[in-house]
Amino acid sequence: MVRIGGRRGGQTGGTRVLPFARGFTLIELLVVLSIIALLLSLAVPKYIHSVDVAKEAVLNENLHLVRETIDKFYGDKGRYPESLEELVNEKYLRALPYDPITGSANSWTIIPPESPDARGKVYDIKSSATGSTLNGRPFADL
């Protein structure tokens, strides 16, 4: 119980007891914590799944963007770039694309052109991440 003391109306008096003021019992706290744990156990897997879906979408978009940029470079220069950094130096890209699966912009697997007379070293890129997408397709095959 909470006791409130002090002056009232200029008089010093005793203390009053507020009958409605009390704390939570241990059982009430356990019930609230169990409800919170139940809600979290339902929400966290959906959140983790949505993060994985977002990472795959970013990876697909970055691969599409770089492949399109390599094609534009080839159309302009008549050769493939020597490295991904050349695309940045020549202002075809602002920065190297980020691989959200590996967490790095420098972990791409570079595929050279198949034709022996083609100039340049970067024909295509792929993710060097191990594992597979949510559909079961390996990241290296994207």
Side-chain angles (χ1 to χ4, degrees):
M1 296 200 161
V2 177
R3 297 184 185 275
I4 301 176
R7 301 174 132 186
R8 264 176 81 186
Q11 300 175 352
T12 55
T15 58
R16 287 189 307 152
V17 176
L18 300 176
F20 59 86
R22 66 181 189 97
F24 294 108
T25 65
L26 181 61
I27 298 296
E28 291 170 332
L29 290 174
L30 288 175
V31 167
V32 168
L33 288 175
S34 66
I35 291 171
I36 290 172
L38 176 67
L39 292 174
L40 284 176
S41 69
L42 296 174
V44 168
K46 290 185 183 213
Y47 172 74
I48 291 172
H49 177 73
S50 66
V51 168
D52 292 340
V53 169
K55 284 182 178 182
E56 287 182 22
V58 169
L59 176 62
N60 283 327
E61 184 62 29
N62 285 348
L63 286 170
H64 176 73
L65 172 75
V66 172
R67 289 171 177 157
E68 188 175 291
T69 303
I70 291 170
D71 290 342
K72 287 179 183 177
F73 185 94
Y74 183 80
D76 290 345
K77 309 273 183 176
R79 65 176 180 86
Y80 293 107
E82 294 295 323
S83 67
L84 292 176
E85 289 81 17
E86 185 177 4
L87 293 173
V88 176
N89 294 338
E90 295 287 328
K91 308 290 187 210
Y92 281 87
L93 292 173
R94 289 187 182 185
L96 288 177
Y98 178 75
D99 185 348
I101 308 298
T102 61
S104 173
N106 298 318
S107 63
W108 299 105
T109 301
I110 296 175
I111 311 296
E114 293 177 2
S115 174
D117 58 341
R119 295 183 338 200
K121 296 180 182 174
V122 181
Y123 172 73
D124 194 8
I125 67 168
K126 294 189 178 200
S127 176
S128 64
T130 58
S132 59
T133 65
L134 296 173
N135 297 334
R137 190 173 170 196
F139 288 119
D141 289 349
L142 293 179

